[in-house]
Amino acid sequence: NFHDRLLHFATFRELVKVVALLEGEERKFEARIKDVSTKDGAEFIYFDDGQSFRLDELVEVNGFLPNGSCWI
């Protein structure tokens, strides 16, 4: 599933292409996932460039969609 893929990318320190909907705007960037964790009942993702946000703001990571689909 999507969460497992995120953990895989984090474990192997793979550079990933990220699309996220942040503050109403779609943002695209590349980074390495440092961690995926739960805080106050919400899941967060942390990147090596210092960015972090809620998992539900992710649109796509390396072509994988949160609903389990894939553009590849």
Side-chain angles (χ1 to χ4, degrees):
N1 70 25
F2 186 69
H3 190 269
D4 291 338
R5 292 195 184 276
L6 296 178
L7 294 177
H8 169 88
F9 295 141
T11 299
F12 292 97
R13 307 236 345 112
E14 292 183 31
L15 187 65
V16 294
K17 294 180 182 180
V18 179
V19 180
L21 189 60
L22 304 171
E23 298 176 6
E25 288 188 35
E26 188 174 275
R27 287 201 3 226
K28 297 179 182 182
F29 62 93
E30 290 187 359
R32 286 180 173 79
I33 300 170
K34 281 180 55 176
D35 192 22
V36 178
S37 63
T38 302
K39 180 181 176 184
D40 298 325
E43 289 187 296
F44 286 84
I45 188 165
Y46 300 88
F47 296 93
D48 66 344
D49 63 1
Q51 294 187 79
S52 65
F53 46 83
R54 290 173 56 115
L55 231 52
D56 60 5
E57 295 176 298
L58 285 174
V59 174
E60 176 182 329
V61 177
N62 268 12
F64 293 97
L65 309 176
N67 67 6
S69 298
C70 178
W71 286 111
I72 298 172

